[in-house]
Amino acid sequence: QVQLVESGGGLVRPGGSLRLSCVASGFSFSDFYMTWIRQAPGKGLEWVSYISSADGSKYYAESVKGRFTISRDNSKDSLHLQMDSLRVEDTAIYYCAKEGSTICSGGSCHPENFDSWGQGTLVTVSS
Amino acid sequence: QSVLTQPPSVSGAPGQRVTISCTGSSSNIGAAYDVHWYQQLPGTAPRLLIYGDDNRPSGVPDRFSGSKSGTSASLAITGLQAEDEAHYYCQSFDSSLSGPVFGGGTKLTVL
């Protein structure tokens, strides 16, 4: 069965950096868009970034653009999120999620929904 | 402020039927993009409950159903059970933002 296991979370000072990882198993990793979604304490879900399966196209939410970098290593079935210039408002549980299906709009394609999620890794940004 | 609007909470007694609404706009639900629903039990990751407006992944009981009309969608839960107590989130695609959008979530309490 599909399994996604995140790691790399922790406590970091504002302005600091962290690198999250997600190791996948149980499916053909290279065939699917992969996404990072976060949830601030007691809050709802927020899409952070995703990366395509085919050409490695990357998309970011405005709130993290220029500070976060998503990447994938299909040879190791792994997904990463490099988080720089962290802010207090980046404090959240970060989930790695696999696309359930793809939607194409305006000449580009995106994950339409998320059918498998990891257990999440907690990132706390505090002084 | 979430792009999709959900009521913060709903409640119902065991065996009853409850619905959770999800209101969007002309750039997401109203543009005919599909709506998907997730269930998040306390202390766990979300799981896909309904996809493509009204489809259930394998393993999801048929007590859960989805519908969509215009710029809104709804999740219905019949025969409410104690284990249904959770947060529920709707999600769609937004053409203006070029990305997925979520509702703020609805906490379901089983009385």
Side-chain angles (χ1 to χ4, degrees), chain A residues 38-55:
Chain A
R38 69 184 180 184
Q39 185 171 35
K43 302 296 184 183
L45 302 168
E46 178 190 18
W47 158 69
V48 173
S49 178
Y50 55 85
I51 185 167
S52 72
S53 55
D55 62 1

Side-chain angles (χ1 to χ4, degrees), chain A residues 4 17 35 41 44 49 62 70 83 90 97-98 103 109 111 120:
Chain A
L4 300 168
S17 298
T35 301
S49 178
E62 283 299 321
I70 192 171
M83 304 187 297
D90 294 319
K98 168 188 165 293
I103 184 171
C109 296

Side-chain angles (χ1 to χ4, degrees), chain A residues 39 95 103 105 112-114 118, chain B residues 33 36 38 40 45-46 89 91:
Chain A
Q39 185 171 35
Y95 295 103
I103 184 171
S105 171
E112 185 174 26
N113 53 54
F114 311 100
Chain B
Y33 291 114
H36 321 284
Y38 301 85
Q40 187 174 32
Y89 295 90
Q91 179 251 312

Side-chain angles (χ1 to χ4, degrees), chain A residues 66-108:
Chain A
R67 300 188 298 122
F68 290 12
T69 303
I70 192 171
S71 62
R72 66 189 297 163
D73 184 344
N74 289 339
S75 69
K76 297 182 179 178
D77 292 347
S78 61
L79 175 73
H80 306 283
L81 186 69
Q82 177 65 41
M83 304 187 297
D84 298 320
S85 303
L86 281 162
R87 305 168 180 168
V88 171
E89 55 265 34
D90 294 319
T91 295
I93 296 173
Y94 285 72
Y95 295 103
C96 154
K98 168 188 165 293
E99 62 145 322
S101 57
T102 307
I103 184 171
C104 296
S105 171
S108 60

Side-chain angles (χ1 to χ4, degrees), chain B:
Chain B
Q1 196 80 344
S2 301
V3 174
L4 305 179
T5 301
Q6 298 180 234
S9 63
V10 298
S11 63
Q16 284 190 332
R17 178 181 186 271
V18 297
T19 61
I20 298 172
S21 62
C22 174
T23 303
S25 67
S26 59
S27 61
N28 41 68
I29 299 175
Y33 291 114
D34 285 352
V35 177
H36 321 284
W37 292 89
Y38 301 85
Q39 178 192 57
Q40 187 174 32
L41 298 170
T44 70
R47 74 152 175 163
L48 183 63
L49 193 67
I50 297 287
Y51 68 94
D53 297 338
D54 57 3
N55 300 284
R56 288 184 307 276
S58 60
V60 174
D62 60 6
R63 302 186 295 105
F64 295 89
S65 63
S67 63
K68 185 178 77 177
S69 178
T71 59
S72 295
S74 290
L75 173 70
I77 310 171
T78 59
L80 208 55
Q81 300 180 4
E83 57 261 37
D84 298 333
E85 192 160 284
H87 281 85
Y88 293 84
Y89 295 90
C90 60
Q91 179 251 312
S92 186
F93 178 82
D94 191 285
S95 57
S96 296
L97 299 173
S98 291
V101 289
F102 288 93
T106 299
K107 178 175 171 54
L108 168 63
T109 300
V110 181
L111 302 171

